[in-house]
């Protein structure tokens, strides 16, 4: 695939990720017990990018969608919080995908990504608000919920394997 | 479940163990019981501590800066943020909290309101009274 086509694909993925993110923000989640719990639909794109585009391009997709997502929401602090989560998430998933493919299924990698996402966000939030209790009170719940959301995301990607394989597999230069 | 591998279960196990450990620790540093307090912190500094329960409803306005504030209401054994200038209103939507460990957070204001049991962790001992 020519470089230009690859760039176009990256653009499409970023746009998709943004749409998913915006869509997700419209779903009311019970924020009483666990504020900030999300399904992380945008991670579907991140995972697809890691698998079919390679880590470097996946990283690019994540950085772009985080940056643009912050612009779209109109508040810069969003960039810090969701960016740190998404960044940690893609780093963990990328590493897990290349090192541990033998032991982890797509769902497992996705779960790791979801956990990384939550941990990243909580760490930044606790640093900014200057409290450590948030780590102990919310992280356990978020981590356990990450098992479920991560599994769901991974399942979605796995179910899309056939059509994704036919359009994307092997078409991208890795790196 | 399609193609679950051994690593998946190890990962899930690790998550549960770590989450459980963090949770147990949080229970240890915050004991339940009488003498509960509402601790309001902005940017790591304790702004105000209220005793619980409050027989009459109290309203406390946390003035973040010239334009931003959070209006805290304490009634009986519970706390909530009635009104705030937080962009996403996470703290307002959360409603009432009443148990130790529960918290109301407004990230842009660096505000955190939590309920502490009798044993307040070391971080909160630095009380600045206003």
């Amino acid at each position: 695939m020519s470089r230009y086509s690859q760039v176009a694909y990256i653009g499409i993925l970023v746009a998709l990720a943004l749409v998913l993110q915006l869509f997700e923000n419209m779903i009311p989640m019970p924020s009483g017990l666990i504020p900030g719990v999300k399904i992380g639909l945008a991670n579907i794109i991140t995972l697809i990018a890691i698998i079919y585009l390679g880590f470097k391009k996946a990283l690019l997709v994540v950085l772009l969608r985080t940056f643009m997502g912050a612009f779209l929401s109109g508040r810069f602090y969003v960039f810090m919080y969701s960016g740190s989560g998404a960044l940690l998430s893609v780093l963990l998933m990328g590493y897990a995908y290349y090192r541990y493919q033998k032991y982890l299924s797509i769902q497992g990698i996705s779960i790791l990504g979801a956990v990384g996402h939550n941990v990243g966000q909580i760490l930044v939030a606790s640093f900014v608000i200057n409290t450590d209790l948030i780590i102990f009170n919310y992280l356990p719940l978020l981590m356990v919920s990450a098992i479920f959301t991560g599994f769901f995301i991974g399942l979605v990607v796995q179910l899309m394997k056939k059509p994704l394989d036919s359009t994307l597999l092997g078409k991208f230069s890795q790196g | 479940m399609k193609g679950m591998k051994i690593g998946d279960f190890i990962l899930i196990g690790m998550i549960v163990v770590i989450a459980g450990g963090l949770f147990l620790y949080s229970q240890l540093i915050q004991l339940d019981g009488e003498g509960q307090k509402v601790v309001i912190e902005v940017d790591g500094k304790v702004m105000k501590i209220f005793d619980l329960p409050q027989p009459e409803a109290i309203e406390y306005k946390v003035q973040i800066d010239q334009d931003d504030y959070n209006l805290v209401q304490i009634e009986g054994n519970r706390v909530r943020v009635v009104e705030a200038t937080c962009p996403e209103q996470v703290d307002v939507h959360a409603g009432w909290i009443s148990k130790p460990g529960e918290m109301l957070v407004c990230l842009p204001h660096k505000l955190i309101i939590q309920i502490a049991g009798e044993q307040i962790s070391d971080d909160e001992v630095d009380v600045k009274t206003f």
Side-chain angles (χ1 to χ4, degrees):
Chain A
M1 192 188 291
S2 76
R3 295 215 78 158
Y4 305 105
S5 300
Q6 294 188 38
V7 169
Y9 262 102
I10 291 176
I12 292 176
L13 286 177
V14 172
L16 283 174
L18 287 171
V19 167
L20 285 172
Q21 201 168 307
L22 287 175
F23 171 68
E24 196 167 20
N25 286 341
M26 292 199 269
I27 305 177
M29 289 295 266
S31 60
L33 191 52
I34 321 172
V37 63
K38 347 180 282 187
I39 310 174
L41 292 176
N43 286 328
I44 296 176
I45 303 294
T46 307
L47 197 50
I48 291 176
I50 289 178
I51 298 173
Y52 296 99
L53 271 65
F55 178 68
K56 284 199 194 147
K57 294 197 175 70
L59 189 60
L60 183 63
V61 169
V62 167
L63 287 173
L64 283 174
R65 75 122 156 138
T66 310
F67 198 59
M68 300 210 60
F71 268 118
L72 281 177
S73 77
R75 295 161 209 135
F76 191 66
Y77 72 86
V78 172
F79 176 58
M80 269 200 300
Y81 299 120
S82 67
S84 54
L87 201 58
L88 185 61
S89 173
V90 71
L91 287 173
L92 283 176
M93 285 202 285
Y95 181 68
Y97 187 68
Y98 289 105
R99 275 302 293 281
Y100 296 112
Q101 223 176 15
K102 199 158 78 127
Y103 303 107
L104 284 174
S105 69
I106 301 287
Q107 289 95 324
I109 293 174
S110 176
I111 288 174
L112 185 61
V115 171
H117 200 111
N118 289 331
V119 169
Q121 279 191 296
I122 292 288
L123 283 181
V124 170
S126 75
F127 179 70
V128 169
I129 305 183
N130 233 317
T131 179
D132 61 356
L133 280 184
I134 212 173
I135 299 180
F136 302 117
N137 289 321
Y138 276 138
L139 199 49
L141 270 170
L142 282 185
M143 283 174 78
V144 173
S145 80
I147 297 177
F148 295 99
T149 60
F151 183 78
F152 172 68
I153 301 295
L155 193 61
V156 169
V157 173
Q158 191 168 67
L159 289 174
M160 294 199 292
K161 193 174 195 303
K162 283 224 185 82
L164 283 175
D165 275 351
S166 58
T167 43
L168 296 176
L169 196 58
K171 300 265 182 70
F172 289 85
S173 54
Q174 304 270 322
Chain B
M1 299 182 218
K2 287 185 190 185
M4 294 279 285
K5 301 185 185 164
I6 181 75
D8 295 341
F9 296 104
I10 298 179
L11 176 67
I12 294 178
M14 277 171 55
I15 294 174
V16 170
V17 166
I18 296 176
L22 287 173
F23 178 71
L24 284 176
Y25 184 67
S26 80
Q27 296 305 313
L28 285 177
I29 62 176
Q30 286 167 147
L31 295 180
D32 225 350
E34 298 298 305
Q36 288 184 66
K37 303 179 197 303
V38 176
V39 181
I40 302 178
E41 276 180 58
V42 175
D43 199 10
K45 297 195 264 301
V46 179
M47 301 298 282
K48 196 93 168 100
I49 296 185
F50 289 98
D51 285 322
L52 283 181
Q54 287 289 341
E56 290 172 16
I58 296 184
E59 274 192 7
Y60 177 72
K61 187 169 187 177
V62 186
Q63 196 75 33
I64 308 292
D65 57 34
Q66 217 181 14
D67 304 306
D68 294 314
Y69 69 92
N70 299 72
L71 191 56
V72 181
Q73 191 180 51
I74 306 176
E75 192 186 86
N77 250 337
R78 45 188 205 162
V79 187
R80 70 169 169 175
V81 177
V82 182
E83 207 184 281
T85 55
C86 302
E88 291 181 3
Q89 302 275 303
V90 175
D91 47 348
V92 179
H93 288 147
W96 295 101
I97 60 169
S98 56
K99 301 199 202 104
E102 285 190 301
M103 57 182 69
L104 300 163
V105 169
C106 173
L107 286 175
H109 293 181
K110 299 190 189 177
L111 167 74
I112 180 167
I113 302 168
Q114 31 194 354
I115 298 191
E118 255 199 54
Q119 215 81 26
I120 307 183
S121 76
D122 288 343
D123 298 86
E124 265 102 298
V125 172
D126 260 33
V127 174
K128 295 172 174 115
T129 40
F130 287 86

